[in-house]
Amino acid sequence: MNTRDLVLVALFAAIVVVLGFIPPITLGFIPVPITAQSMGVMLAGCIIGAKRGALSFLLVILLVAIGLPVLSGGRGGLAVLAGPSGGFILGWAIAAFATGLIAECFVRAQNSEGRQFAGFFLASVIGGIVVLYAIGVPWLSAVTGTPLAAAATGSLAFIPGDLMKAAIATLAARAVYAGYPLLPARA
């Protein structure tokens, strides 16, 4: 890791904290709020790559664990990590890594613009939605005592919003990649 990597990790951790200023939307039938911070997973993975994206979220999780109110709605502390949202929050680092890994594999400078968009969108959906839900939904089920099938069904309400977040992250990632590529290439 060099100075540039450290700056990018800190910058994206700060971006995730700023995304937390957008007020959360709570649906009555599931105790996990809709937040803009989950879009940060997609942005970090697609823009700065797997390793740096995951490290930026580990930094955010550390800030949450020590009690800083950096989550949406001014939440923070170990109680939040142990609650229904905890699996999603802890899953952010893994999801950012997966998103970055997929983006690094599928997005190349020599690809057409359309293929780059498709690569970023695929990375955002698989890493930022599928991987995150694979970690967060079982945690939600375990913490709330809800059957896994019911927790998964309740989480389907978040998919349309998450797809919109993936589209926004795709547009942002492609714009950054076109002007100042930070995404490492993977074979």
Side-chain angles (χ1 to χ4, degrees), residues 48-156:
I48 61 174
K51 180 179 161 187
R52 295 179 294 201
L55 287 173
S56 69
F57 275 93
L58 288 174
L59 179 56
V60 171
I61 292 166
L62 176 66
L63 296 174
V64 171
I66 63 174
L68 295 178
V70 296
L71 294 176
S72 177
R75 299 174 304 137
L78 292 175
V80 175
L81 294 177
S85 299
F88 291 97
I89 296 166
L90 294 170
W92 282 347
I94 297 166
F97 185 84
T99 302
L101 194 62
I102 295 165
E104 290 169 8
C105 289
F106 287 104
V107 177
R108 298 276 185 263
Q110 65 269 20
N111 290 355
S112 68
E113 187 175 323
R115 287 189 71 144
Q116 289 175 356
F117 275 116
F120 283 130
F121 188 74
L122 180 71
S124 294
V125 169
I126 293 173
I129 299 174
V130 175
V131 170
L132 189 59
Y133 280 46
I135 297 165
V137 171
W139 181 288
L140 170 68
S141 174
V143 168
T144 62
T146 306
L148 183 59
T153 303
S155 296
L156 292 177

